[in-house]
Amino acid sequence: MGFSTDIGVRGTFNWKKPWVNSRGHSFNSSFSLSEPEQLITASYRIPLEDVLHDYYQIQYGMKNLDNRDTKSLESNLSVARHWLLDSDWHRSLRVRYLIESYEQGLQDDTGQFVLPGVSYSKTRTRGTGMPMWGIERVFQLSMVIRNCCQKLVCFVFRQVPLGFVA
């Protein structure tokens, strides 16, 4: 439970099943409810040889937003393959399908998008049992294909300091 000036009261519930079967499959889900926004996500992980770093992941999410003059219903499904490279970089290949119906003021539309992409990330920390410093670098290349004909290519680089206390 929480409160913010933007959305008011918000409740969140997370459920994790770390061991679904003898092959190490796992399931995560999250529900977040507030008056203007409702969000549900679920993911299913299928490990391969290296259970922690080598796996497939299937995710589904749905978000409903009704905030002042904006109404939106978004649904997405993604399939990704994750693995750790010998250089300690984490690589992820994914394809995501997104459909969104929205109404903002007098304008409304429905968009369907296919979003293939690849990302590389690496986290570095200093300190052993209790790290005092950390940083995560993420390189991401994505393509957005709208309604099977319009295309846009995006490249993102993020360098995020991790929240450790000295």
Side-chain angles (χ1 to χ4, degrees), residues 66-81:
D66 188 351
N67 193 7
R68 297 187 178 104
D69 70 337
T70 302
K71 293 181 181 179
S72 169
L73 180 61
E74 178 184 306
S75 179
N76 70 75
L77 177 67
S78 73
V79 177
R81 169 73 161 90

Side-chain angles (χ1 to χ4, degrees), residues 145-156:
I145 305 168
R146 181 175 184 189
N147 299 335
C148 298
C149 59
Q150 300 169 336
K151 295 180 181 144
L152 173 69
V153 176
C154 304
F155 178 76
V156 175

Side-chain angles (χ1 to χ4, degrees), residues 16-136:
K16 295 181 180 183
K17 178 104 171 131
W19 201 270
V20 173
N21 60 28
S22 63
R23 294 180 303 279
H25 295 201
S26 61
F27 177 79
N28 291 324
S29 63
S30 174
F31 305 91
S32 180
L33 301 172
S34 67
E35 186 174 339
E37 182 179 84
Q38 300 82 43
L39 177 66
I40 181 173
T41 60
S43 66
Y44 191 82
R45 185 182 284 199
I46 304 166
L48 300 171
E49 288 182 33
D50 181 351
V51 176
L52 294 177
H53 303 108
D54 192 18
Y55 57 91
Y56 287 99
Q57 188 167 24
I58 302 164
Q59 291 181 300
Y60 176 75
M62 181 180 278
K63 179 173 144 181
N64 183 51
L65 175 68
D66 188 351
N67 193 7
R68 297 187 178 104
D69 70 337
T70 302
K71 293 181 181 179
S72 169
L73 180 61
E74 178 184 306
S75 179
N76 70 75
L77 177 67
S78 73
V79 177
R81 169 73 161 90
H82 300 262
W83 60 101
L84 185 65
L85 303 175
D86 291 337
S87 61
D88 287 335
W89 282 87
H90 178 99
R91 178 171 46 198
S92 173
L93 291 173
R94 73 191 166 292
V95 175
R96 183 172 149 211
Y97 174 70
L98 169 68
I99 184 167
E100 180 179 14
S101 298
Y102 70 89
E103 184 180 311
Q104 186 169 26
L106 300 174
Q107 186 178 9
D108 66 339
D109 196 8
T110 298
Q112 295 184 52
F113 306 89
V114 176
L115 301 108
V118 60
S119 66
Y120 291 85
S121 64
K122 187 173 190 174
T123 303
R124 292 182 22 214
T125 58
R126 286 193 195 131
T128 52
M130 184 70 101
M132 302 306 266
W133 175 88
I135 193 165
E136 179 182 41

